[in-house]
Amino acid sequence: SGPDRVHEVTVTPLDEGVLLAFTDLTEAEEMDRMRRDFVANVSHELRTPLTAISGFIETLRGAAKEDARARERFLAIMAAEAERMNRLVRDLLHLSRVEAEERNRPESRVDIAGIARSVVDSLQPVARAGEVRLNLVGAGQEITLRADPDQMVQVLTNLTENAVKYGSPAGATVTVALGREDGPRGPVLRVSVSDQGAGIDPRHIPRLTERFYRVDSHRSREKGGTGLGLAIVKHIVQRHRGRLVIESELGKGSVFSILLPMP
Ligand code: ADP
């Protein structure tokens, strides 16, 4: 009945049909492999903080029982590890929600300049803490786009946080810039985030938007990264029928731009 019939229909005597059946199978296998990798990665990412927390619980029950200072220190580490798990679960939920909605292009009209102003304002303390100057240009007047406002906040926050986190030694400047351009398929808004950081080796660039891909996983973890930020950005941009462009030069810095179709 059901599944058998589908199989029969797919493998038609036509060359084209057979080819199609093969393609489907390869694609299905590829999807399956990706799903397994993803589950393995998530398990690993969750297990690392869990192992640390369990280890410290044992220590608190044993050797550190009578040592108040050690106890405080271990509790602080446990809190930080629990916080890491929290961030990871939050980002996983964001990612799955964005993926689920990817086919529905947002309908609402939003003022992206206003969003950029509020994101930049709210990240000023983070920038100051890293002694980075955070500038915004091109957001003086309203720029209306068809977009999901929460997701635009998230894209701008992820890119700007990365620019501050990885991009910038003390004294450097991060610039968020908005500007209209003529794209091949009509007018687009370019939103770019430029930093003056270490830059990214070109061989890493095509893989940066993969889930859990990090150039330097130690550094990412130390900075509180989950490895999901750019994957979330990619899916949000796809949902908006836009493009993500990454340019980088080692020793000079990086520019992450999104190009969004104008209404
Ligand atoms: P994470 O949570 O690790 O920050 P992301 O998906 O946001 O995850 O970024 C993936 C990796 O891309 C980071 O771990 C970092 O190695 C690299 N990266 C992202 N933005 C920048 C940047 N502005 N400069 C240098 N490297 C960056």
Side-chain angles (χ1 to χ4, degrees):
S1 50
D4 283 335
R5 279 247 293 285
V6 173
H7 193 70
E8 242 176 55
V9 172
T10 318
V11 190
T12 51
L14 293 169
D15 284 343
E16 214 184 309
V18 175
L19 195 69
L20 239 157
F22 276 123
T23 318
D24 279 355
L25 189 65
T26 328
E27 222 168 79
E29 274 173 0
E30 174 67 9
M31 292 286 281
D32 208 42
R33 190 188 60 75
M34 279 170 62
R35 191 186 50 77
R36 278 199 309 270
D37 284 357
F38 181 60
V39 172
N41 279 329
V42 171
S43 312
H44 174 78
E45 297 287 335
L46 284 170
R47 180 178 277 164
T48 311
L50 259 183
T51 306
I53 291 171
S54 317
F56 283 115
I57 289 174
E58 283 315 304
T59 318
L60 285 172
R61 280 182 168 154
K65 217 171 181 171
E66 312 298 333
D67 183 343
R69 274 183 53 202
R71 237 177 13 236
E72 280 313 306
R73 203 159 56 82
F74 295 155
L75 284 171
I77 299 173
M78 290 164 73
E81 294 294 338
E83 183 48 39
R84 173 202 298 292
M85 292 179 71
N86 244 325
R87 278 197 303 270
L88 184 64
V89 171
R90 179 204 63 194
D91 281 359
L92 284 168
L93 285 172
H94 279 155
L95 189 58
S96 77
R97 210 174 307 144
V98 181
E99 275 185 312
E101 297 177 326
E102 204 166 308
R103 284 167 195 279
N104 327 324
R105 192 176 164 191
E107 293 290 343
S108 51
R109 312 247 153 193
V110 301
D111 170 26
I112 188 100
I115 288 176
R117 287 196 299 272
S118 78
V119 167
V120 166
D121 282 348
S122 68
L123 290 177
Q124 286 297 356
V126 181
R128 256 196 306 270
E131 291 179 55
V132 170
R133 220 185 356 245
L134 178 56
N135 289 337
L136 175 62
V137 300
Q141 45 186 300
E142 206 171 275
I143 304 172
T144 317
L145 273 186
R146 211 175 128 185
D148 179 310
D150 293 338
Q151 292 185 342
M152 287 295 110
V153 168
Q154 182 149 36
V155 164
L156 281 174
T157 303
N158 287 0
L159 295 181
T160 311
E161 272 181 355
N162 278 352
V164 172
K165 268 196 312 202
Y166 304 107
S168 304
T173 301
V174 167
T175 306
V176 178
L178 276 59
R180 286 165 214 259
E181 279 177 20
D182 285 318
R185 263 169 275 130
V188 294
L189 179 72
R190 177 188 287 264
V191 182
S192 64
V193 181
S194 326
D195 66 59
Q196 300 175 323
I200 304 158
D201 191 310
R203 70 199 156 93
H204 293 294
I205 291 182
R207 302 198 57 191
L208 289 184
T209 58
E210 286 176 23
R211 300 148 176 206
F212 298 118
Y213 190 85
R214 295 140 159 147
V215 175
D216 174 349
S217 39
H218 178 73
R219 180 126 193 252
S220 159
R221 290 210 175 78
E222 194 182 77
K223 304 259 181 188
T226 60
L228 296 173
L230 289 176
I232 293 172
V233 166
K234 181 183 102 173
H235 285 286
I236 292 178
V237 171
Q238 276 173 1
R239 182 179 177 219
H240 287 76
R241 310 295 183 257
R243 285 171 57 208
L244 170 68
V245 180
I246 305 173
E247 299 154 282
S248 191
E249 200 178 331
L250 275 175
K252 287 243 168 101
S254 313
V255 186
F256 286 72
S257 309
I258 57 170
L259 301 168
L260 299 166
M262 298 285 288

